[in-house]
Amino acid sequence: MEAYTGFAQVYDTFMDNVPYDEWGAYLVSLLKKYGVEDGLVLDMGCGTGAMTRYLDAHGYDMTGIDLSEEMLTIAKEKSSPDILYLLQDMREFELYGTMRAAVSVCDSMNYILKEEDLLQVFSLVNNYLDPGGIFVFDLNTVYKYQEILGEQTIAEDREECSFIWDNFYDEEEMINEYDLTIFVQEDGELFRRYCETHYQRAYSLETVKTLIEKAGMEVLAIYDAFTYNKPKPDSERVYFVAREHGKKTV
């Protein structure tokens, strides 16, 4: 089943423990640290638009792309009409012009399962960045899949919805499978059951750095998430900052 269909309608409910303001403040600090104070910014894998709206509120002219029509419908309902949302695959997106920066958070890049596809994403980003433009994105680490998520079951019960989230990590393929079972209250005391399967890929930092450079960008920094420190062996999330370097590859 296509990911983020049934889950889309309850995504924000179950993500209400995510400190989006703190994540957004960190993202803005990185953009400004590397010279992007304002201008056009692309949010890749924008989902229901929480981070897109945060950046919009902080002075950026936002475009969001996502592969889930259901998620984008919710994003549009919650957002200013000034934000442009496009139903597009990150591996083959098309824009109307170049951007000062591109961002991608909440491990959207981990959904790209093949190295050649990740290279294609990076190459497209490079093509759509202004000269010297900045690309900021996060990734769940190999450590997180191996030690935190792998083979774990997570469940949460709310008044109007609940979910069961089973994780299975294949160390050889470096693929984490998420099997989601979601129950959503619809009429009276009746609940509708949705089942979805999601897949994410773990990448070594060196592999990602190599692909960024192959796409024509320059890696400026890799940070342990929400700090300006280098990643640690037990970092669960990292942020990459890359810069358009003039070489166009696609």
Side-chain angles (χ1 to χ4, degrees):
M1 184 175 180
E2 184 181 350
Y4 291 115
T5 50
F7 193 39
Q9 62 184 299
V10 295
Y11 180 84
D12 286 338
T13 299
F14 288 122
M15 294 293 281
D16 62 3
N17 61 339
V18 173
Y20 281 118
D21 285 348
E22 293 177 28
W23 288 24
Y26 177 69
L27 185 56
V28 168
S29 75
L30 288 179
L31 289 171
K32 292 186 174 182
K33 178 180 176 68
Y34 291 96
V36 183
E37 299 278 347
D38 54 21
L40 297 170
V41 174
L42 174 66
D43 185 5
M44 305 170 63
C46 64
T48 58
M51 198 60 65
T52 325
R53 291 190 297 276
Y54 186 95
L55 294 176
D56 174 71
H58 285 76
Y60 295 97
D61 188 355
M62 296 303 300
T63 296
I65 63 171
D66 202 278
L67 190 56
S68 169
E69 185 174 1
E70 290 82 359
M71 297 285 269
L72 287 180
T73 296
I74 295 168
K76 291 174 183 177
E77 290 172 352
K78 293 187 172 186
S79 298
S80 157
D82 294 334
I83 299 175
L84 174 64
Y85 288 107
L86 300 172
L87 180 64
Q88 296 195 359
D89 189 324
M90 289 192 293
R91 296 167 295 182
E92 50 190 26
F93 69 88
E94 296 181 6
L95 303 177
Y96 301 109
T98 58
M99 300 278 170
R100 290 286 307 282
V103 301
S104 184
V105 296
C106 297
D107 42 88
S108 294
M109 287 293 156
N110 290 107
Y111 279 96
I112 306 299
L113 303 182
K114 298 179 181 179
E115 287 186 20
E116 57 265 35
D117 287 343
L118 192 58
L119 173 60
Q120 175 70 6
V121 172
F122 291 162
S123 298
L124 283 169
V125 170
N126 188 47
N127 273 16
Y128 282 108
L129 286 177
D130 290 339
I134 298 298
F135 181 31
V136 181
F137 65 94
D138 72 2
L139 283 169
N140 282 337
T141 62
V142 174
Y143 172 84
K144 183 173 182 178
Y145 291 114
Q146 286 182 335
E147 305 298 333
I148 306 298
L149 289 179
E151 311 311 314
Q152 295 295 314
T153 297
I154 302 167
E156 190 169 334
D157 186 20
R158 302 288 184 97
E159 185 174 342
E160 296 180 351
C161 50
S162 62
F163 76 85
I164 302 169
W165 170 14
D166 291 312
N167 291 274
F168 308 95
Y169 182 62
D170 185 325
E171 294 200 12
E172 183 176 345
E173 297 293 330
M174 299 177 74
I175 299 289
N176 194 79
E177 177 182 329
Y178 304 84
D179 290 335
L180 280 166
T181 304
I182 306 143
F183 300 90
V184 181
Q185 188 173 10
E186 294 194 342
D187 297 306
E189 297 183 358
L190 294 179
F191 284 75
R192 183 178 295 275
R193 178 174 177 261
Y194 297 89
C195 294
E196 297 186 7
T197 299
H198 297 228
Y199 297 93
Q200 288 189 333
R201 167 84 183 271
Y203 291 95
S204 72
L205 303 188
E206 191 57 41
T207 294
V208 177
K209 184 174 183 292
T210 297
L211 293 174
I212 289 171
E213 292 171 347
K214 191 172 181 180
M217 287 185 283
E218 173 188 9
V219 177
L220 299 179
I222 308 173
Y223 295 119
D224 183 27
F226 317 119
T227 76
Y228 294 128
N229 302 324
K230 293 181 179 179
K232 303 173 294 185
D234 62 350
S235 292
E236 296 180 25
R237 185 184 299 272
V238 295
Y239 273 71
F240 278 81
V241 182
R243 179 169 58 196
E244 190 275 345
H245 204 44
K247 178 184 176 184
K248 302 300 185 182
T249 58
V250 296

